Amino acid sequence: WCGPCQMQGKIIEQQVLPEVAGKVKVVKVNIDEQADLAVRLGVMSVPMLFLYKDLIRPKKPRLLLVRLL
C-alpha cells in the first residue's frame, strides 16, 4: 500500500476505531484486487475515504463524520 494509505490507516486504527467501536463498521479495500469496485465507487486517487449511513453515501459526509466522532 502507498505511504499516505498507510498513514491514514494508522490514524484510523489508533485514533478513530477506539472511539467508534460498535457504532460503525470500517472496511479497507485493496483497489488493485477490487478494481471493479473502485470503478463503481468512483475512486480517482488513493487514499480515499467513504462514509455511509444506512448503506447510503450522504451528500454532506463531513457532517456525518462530526456526528460519529
Side-chain angles (χ1 to χ4, degrees):
W1 290 48
C2 69
C5 296
Q6 292 175 353
M7 214 166 21
Q8 179 175 295
K10 286 180 185 177
I11 292 169
I12 290 171
E13 290 171 5
Q14 295 173 1
Q15 297 178 21
V16 177
L17 287 181
E19 295 289 324
V20 299
K23 299 176 191 173
V24 300
K25 183 175 184 178
V26 176
V27 179
K28 292 181 185 180
V29 176
N30 183 329
I31 63 168
D32 292 326
E33 295 174 1
Q34 299 289 328
D36 291 342
L37 178 59
V39 169
R40 284 195 320 239
L41 293 175
V43 174
M44 302 299 281
S45 62
V46 291
M48 185 163 279
L49 178 66
F50 292 109
L51 301 173
Y52 290 84
K53 182 174 182 176
D54 301 324
L55 300 178
I56 298 171
R57 193 182 317 175
K59 293 182 181 180
K60 296 183 179 181
R62 290 183 186 174
L63 295 177
L64 176 60
L65 182 60
V66 169
R67 288 184 188 141
L68 288 174
L69 299 177

